Amino acid sequence: MKAKILVALKSGVLDPQGKAIQHALLGLGFPGVGEVRVGKAIDIALSETDPAKARAQAEEMCRKLLANTVIESYRIEIEP
Amino acid sequence: MKAKILVALKSGVLDPQGKAIQHALLGLGFPGVGEVRVGKAIDIALSETDPAKARAQAEEMCRKLLANTVIESYRIEIEP
């Protein structure tokens, strides 16, 4: 199975990288640009074949390594 | 409108960050972990209200700033 994990900063947490992109886009002549938020998209190939077990594994990976749950939230999609 | 942009390394391009995550996960006791690829998820708020124009703007942003099209590909989703 494949786990597609999206790790994003929680709303309310400052995102300096997003701010920098916003300013760069405004400077490049895109006047309609508002808030920009940047997250990580992590694709993991898993040998697990049961979707529920694959999701449980991915959850544990997020909690243990991939996300800092104090400031980041994560979303997991499991694909065959 | 909101543009959700996913920038990922093209397949075939080495991903050292993904490799590091893979090794860390194996070290943490997740034996079934295969290839790991890491990309960027960029959410941009746009004042544009026409979906087609918003997509065209996002395309231009990707080409000009957000993606290095030599080694990265991008995918754009437009949401209201």
Side-chain angles (χ1 to χ4, degrees), chain A residues 43-78:
Chain A
D43 289 7
I44 303 178
L46 295 171
S47 60
E48 181 62 59
T49 52
D50 179 61
K53 282 186 193 160
R55 178 174 294 274
Q57 270 186 16
E59 283 268 355
E60 205 183 334
M61 289 173 191
C62 285
R63 283 198 310 272
K64 281 195 178 166
L65 181 77
L66 304 175
N68 174 354
T69 53
V70 177
I71 55 168
E72 292 172 324
S73 59
Y74 55 86
R75 215 178 58 218
I76 297 168
E77 280 170 41
I78 300 292

Side-chain angles (χ1 to χ4, degrees), chain B residues 11 17 26 37 48 55 63 71-72 79-80:
Chain B
S11 60
Q17 196 184 356
L26 291 170
R37 307 282 291 177
E48 182 61 58
R55 179 174 294 276
R63 283 198 311 272
I71 56 167
E72 292 172 324
E79 289 180 2

Side-chain angles (χ1 to χ4, degrees), chain B residues 7-49:
Chain B
V7 179
L9 286 168
K10 287 181 179 169
S11 60
V13 179
L14 283 180
D15 183 350
Q17 196 184 356
K19 219 55 189 162
I21 290 176
Q22 185 187 11
H23 285 301
L25 288 173
L26 291 170
L28 279 171
F30 295 100
V33 174
E35 197 187 22
V36 179
R37 307 282 291 177
V38 183
K40 280 171 286 180
I42 306 167
D43 288 8
I44 303 179
L46 295 171
S47 60
E48 182 61 58
T49 52

